[in-house]
Amino acid sequence: MTWLVTGGAGYIGGHVVAALRAAGLPAVVLDDLSTGSLARVPADVPVLTVALHDFDAVLAGLRDHEVTGVIHLAAKKAVGESVERPLYYYRENVGGFEVLLRAIRSAGVSRLLLSSSASVYGNPDQDQVTEDLPLRPLSPYGQTKTVCEWMVAAAHQAYELGYVTLRYFNVVGAASRELADTGVFNLVPLALQAISAGRQPLVFGADYPTRDGTCIRDYVDVRDVADAHVAAARLLDAGKPAAVYNVGRGEGFTVKEVLAAIDRVTGMDVGYQVVDRRPGDPTSYCAAVDKIERELGWTARYTLDDMVASAWAAWPKP
Ligand SMILES: NC(=O)c1ccc[n+]([C@@H]2O[C@H](COP(=O)([O-])OP(=O)(O)OC[C@H]3O[C@@H](n4cnc5c(N)ncnc54)[C@H](O)[C@@H]3O)[C@@H](O)[C@H]2O)c1
């Protein structure tokens, strides 16, 4: 029972590897280190420094390590960059996944866990997002995640590949300094970066129809997200499911509420600067989590303050 974790040297992948080890599930990492770091991988976990496009190397890795299941996290994830470089995102995220699926088939691997994102929903017209909503991604990044979801469902139909797709909402926090999120794209790292530089965090629009005028999102701790992978791996080991789950807390916080949590955790009065809305930012959404709670027995444990505190503890300070 060995799990190959693609993107295992990344922010979420590093936490997934740690959670698998804690659960006694052996892991091997495949990562091209384009945004990942070997420092995130424990010394006794084998690392294949391989790009997904290298079919022969991916197949050899699956065979050499007698891999029984794949957890696929390797992807490019910057929404803004995907708007500027859509074809690069399609090549990396969709092209890379096509190669991986072929190698999985050739190696006879029967279990796949796919990392997806709330971005597949686009601008949902209901606050609590259920898994059966139509997928309407807004960015090329979200489109690549949507196409990967279609690909895995088609592979399930054609080849009886068992799969679980996890759609993460806004992932925050870190179990340790080594595992911290070094890509500064999301609200909490952006705010911590601003604080470190002596600037006030930016709030993009304070005139939304929400309780304080700022956008609402579902923030979920990366340690909880990693545990959801262990629960999904167990489901895959038990049979050949074809299942999609939201991974969130099931409650939304406004941008101002997250900044207030940062004030509480850091003991600072950070303040903020309101600037124009960003085009395409949905007003409000959070995950419906009944399905993952019911079928995987998974519930998020960490609160907003817990996740902000762990992100702050892991943030590099002078
Ligand atoms: N961070 C979030 O808030 C979030 C939210 C929703 C979904 N996701 C998804 O979770 C996954 C992991 O995200 P992350 O935040 O850990 O990002 P990350 O950039 O830290 O990790 C991605 C890892 O994949 C590796 N990689 C990228 N392209 C590769 C390729 N072609 N071949 C081999 N390795 C490659 C990188 O080196 C890196 O280690 C991604 O699929 C991302 O789309 C992340």
Side-chain angles (χ1 to χ4, degrees), residues 6-13 30-37 40 50-53 72-77 92-93 96 115-118 141 145 168-172 181-182 186:
T6 77
Y11 163 53
I12 299 174
L30 184 150
D31 200 299
D32 68 359
L33 304 180
S34 51
T35 57
S37 161
R40 290 203 179 100
V50 162
L52 284 173
H53 294 92
H72 177 52
L73 296 114
K76 302 291 179 277
K77 65 163 182 178
E92 288 295 307
N93 295 0
S115 154
S116 188
S117 154
Y141 165 73
K145 290 281 155 188
Y168 322 146
F169 280 63
N170 290 56
V171 185
V172 179
D181 186 4
T182 48
N186 300 328

Side-chain angles (χ1 to χ4, degrees), residues 187 211-212 214-219 249 251-258 264 285-286 303-305 307:
L187 173 59
R211 49 187 175 262
D212 64 16
T214 62
C215 290
I216 294 178
R217 297 286 180 272
D218 188 327
Y219 297 89
R249 281 185 54 78
E251 63 176 332
F253 291 98
T254 68
V255 172
K256 285 184 184 173
E257 287 165 351
V258 174
R264 282 194 296 278
Y285 63 82
C286 74
T303 65
L304 177 63
D305 281 28
M307 53 187 111

Side-chain angles (χ1 to χ4, degrees), residues 65-78:
H65 292 274
E66 298 179 1
V67 168
T68 47
V70 172
I71 298 180
H72 177 52
L73 296 114
K76 302 291 179 277
K77 65 163 182 178

Side-chain angles (χ1 to χ4, degrees), residues 211-269:
R211 49 187 175 262
D212 64 16
T214 62
C215 290
I216 294 178
R217 297 286 180 272
D218 188 327
Y219 297 89
V220 59
D221 193 290
V222 68
R223 295 164 290 182
D224 283 327
V225 173
D227 286 345
H229 290 70
V230 173
R234 294 215 162 102
L235 184 74
L236 284 160
D237 279 341
K240 287 195 176 163
V244 180
Y245 300 107
N246 288 335
V247 183
R249 281 185 54 78
E251 63 176 332
F253 291 98
T254 68
V255 172
K256 285 184 184 173
E257 287 165 351
V258 174
L259 295 176
I262 292 177
D263 279 357
R264 282 194 296 278
V265 161
T266 60
M268 298 180 200
D269 184 8

Side-chain angles (χ1 to χ4, degrees), residues 101 104 109-112 152 155-156 159-163 240-241:
L101 281 174
I104 282 173
V109 173
S110 60
R111 304 166 176 88
L112 176 68
V152 74
H156 168 77
Y159 318 129
E160 296 189 353
L161 178 70
Y163 76 91
K240 287 195 176 163

Side-chain angles (χ1 to χ4, degrees), residues 137-175:
L138 298 174
S139 67
Y141 165 73
Q143 291 164 9
T144 65
K145 290 281 155 188
T146 305
V147 174
C148 288
E149 290 202 17
W150 290 338
M151 288 165 75
V152 74
H156 168 77
Q157 288 290 336
Y159 318 129
E160 296 189 353
L161 178 70
Y163 76 91
V164 172
T165 293
L166 297 180
R167 293 179 184 152
Y168 322 146
F169 280 63
N170 290 56
V171 185
V172 179

